[in-house]
Amino acid sequence: MTLPPSVSLIEEPAGYPILVIHHAAATGRIALNGAHVMEWTPAGEKPVLFMSAQAVFEPGKPIRGGIPVCWPWFGGHPTESDKPAHGFVRNLMWNVGEVTENIAGVTLEFLLSDSDDSRAFWPHRFDLRLEVKLGAQLSIALHIKNTDEAAWSMTGALHTYLCVDDVTEAAVIGLDDAFYVESRLSPERIEQSGPVYFDREVDRNYESKDTVRLLDRKGRRTIVVEKSGSRATIVWNPWIEKSKRLSDLPDDAYPHFVCIEAANAVPDVIAMTPGKEHVLSQRLRVQRD
C-alpha cells in the first residue's frame, strides 16, 4: 500500500487499522472495518460527522456514527431475522485500493468482493468499490457490480450521522410534499408538509431523490446533502427511549445528531442482472449563516 504524505495508517486499538488524513483542506479518519468514514472536518470547521462516544472499534462489529455502508440489505434481513441488521459489509475488512492527493484534498478507494466470509451471509458474487473524496466537500460513492451468473436484488444505504448542536432547534429542509412511511413506527403513507422538526423519535423513509439541507440553528450552519442512485431519503433520530436501548450510544447523545441517508429501501428494491452496475452516492458540504 502506497500512501501520499497527507495519509497515514495506524492501528487504534491494536489490530484495528484506520487511515488518518491530515490535509490542508480537511482532516478525517476511515476504518478499514466496513470502509467506514468515521470523521470529516473541513478546514476552519467543526466536525461534520457525529461519532458515538461509546462506539465499538472491534473487527467484525459495526461502528455507531460516521457513515456506515449498509448493503446488500437495509434494515433487517427480509426473510432471516438472525442475519445482521443493515447487511454484512459494514462488518468486514475492506482492502485499500488507490489513494491519491492534490491541492483540493484526498481521494481514497476501498475494495470488497465475495468471499467465504460474505457467503456465510449471502450466496451471491459481487464486486464493491467505495470511492471517498475528502476535502472542503465530502463525496462518497458505492460502486456495485453483479459478477454472478445469476440475477440478484439489493437494498442499501449510506447511513450518514451528521452533527448538530441541538436537534430540538434543527430542521431538515427539502422534503416538503414528499411522501414517507414512519418505518417501524407506522405503516401509514404520509405527505410531508414543510420542514422536518424533531420533538420525538423520527424514523422516516421518504420517497425523494432531491437535495436536502440540515439547518443547525444553534450551530449557525447548514449541511447540504446531495445524492444520486437513490430513490429514498432516510431521516432518523432515536430520541430518548430508543437511545436507552442502544448500548453503543450514550443516553444523552441524541440531541447532537441527525441521520440523513441516501438509500434504496423497501419497496425500492434494485434488481441486478449479471454484469449490471449501480452507483449509490452522497455529497456533503457546509454553508455558514
Side-chain angles (χ1 to χ4, degrees), residues 128-271:
L128 300 181
R129 180 171 65 89
L130 188 75
E131 184 183 59
V132 180
K133 295 182 178 181
L134 189 149
Q137 301 183 9
L138 175 64
S139 298
I140 179 169
L142 180 64
H143 299 254
I144 304 150
K145 183 175 182 179
N146 180 357
T147 57
D148 212 327
E149 296 175 355
W152 41 258
S153 60
M154 67 179 193
T155 56
L158 300 173
H159 195 324
T160 306
Y161 288 70
L162 299 170
C163 290
V164 293
D165 276 19
D166 184 347
V167 74
T168 66
E169 298 186 28
V172 178
I173 299 167
L175 294 168
D176 195 25
D177 298 330
F179 283 89
Y180 69 88
V181 173
E182 191 83 28
S183 190
R184 61 181 180 79
L185 302 176
S186 169
E188 183 181 1
R189 188 168 173 263
I190 302 168
E191 186 175 9
Q192 179 68 36
S193 177
V196 182
Y197 297 111
F198 301 88
D199 60 2
R200 69 197 72 186
E201 181 181 354
V202 171
D203 189 0
R204 298 178 183 175
N205 179 347
Y206 283 90
E207 302 167 14
S208 175
K209 299 180 181 179
D210 295 337
T211 295
V212 302
R213 289 167 169 79
L214 175 58
L215 178 59
D216 178 13
R217 289 190 180 91
K218 190 171 181 180
R220 302 183 63 82
R221 68 179 182 179
T222 298
I223 302 172
V224 181
V225 183
E226 301 173 303
K227 64 173 189 167
S228 65
S230 161
R231 297 192 291 242
T233 296
I234 309 297
V235 178
W236 180 63
N237 181 275
W239 207 247
I240 299 168
E241 293 305 316
K242 180 67 177 290
S243 295
K244 293 177 180 178
R245 300 196 296 270
L246 298 173
S247 61
D248 55 356
L249 183 71
D251 292 352
D252 59 355
Y254 75 91
H256 303 301
F257 71 87
V258 171
C259 287
I260 299 179
E261 311 167 35
N264 292 114
V266 173
D268 296 317
V269 176
I270 304 295

Side-chain angles (χ1 to χ4, degrees), residues 109-129:
E109 181 183 63
F110 300 89
L111 308 170
L112 185 71
S113 298
D114 57 281
S115 64
D116 289 344
D117 289 336
S118 73
R119 284 187 286 273
F121 301 104
W122 203 55
H124 306 296
R125 294 174 56 193
F126 63 88
D127 277 338
L128 300 181
R129 180 171 65 89

Side-chain angles (χ1 to χ4, degrees), residues 35-92:
H36 191 120
V37 181
M38 301 164 65
E39 299 175 14
W40 169 55
T41 306
E45 266 297 336
K46 301 181 298 183
V48 179
L49 300 180
F50 170 86
M51 178 60 62
S52 170
Q54 294 176 192
V56 177
F57 303 125
E58 183 179 326
K61 299 288 182 67
I63 302 169
R64 176 73 63 187
I67 309 180
V69 178
C70 303
W71 193 86
W73 57 85
F74 176 75
H77 189 278
T79 59
E80 299 177 58
S81 61
D82 61 329
K83 295 290 177 68
H86 294 316
F88 56 85
V89 302
R90 66 182 185 151
N91 302 331
L92 297 180

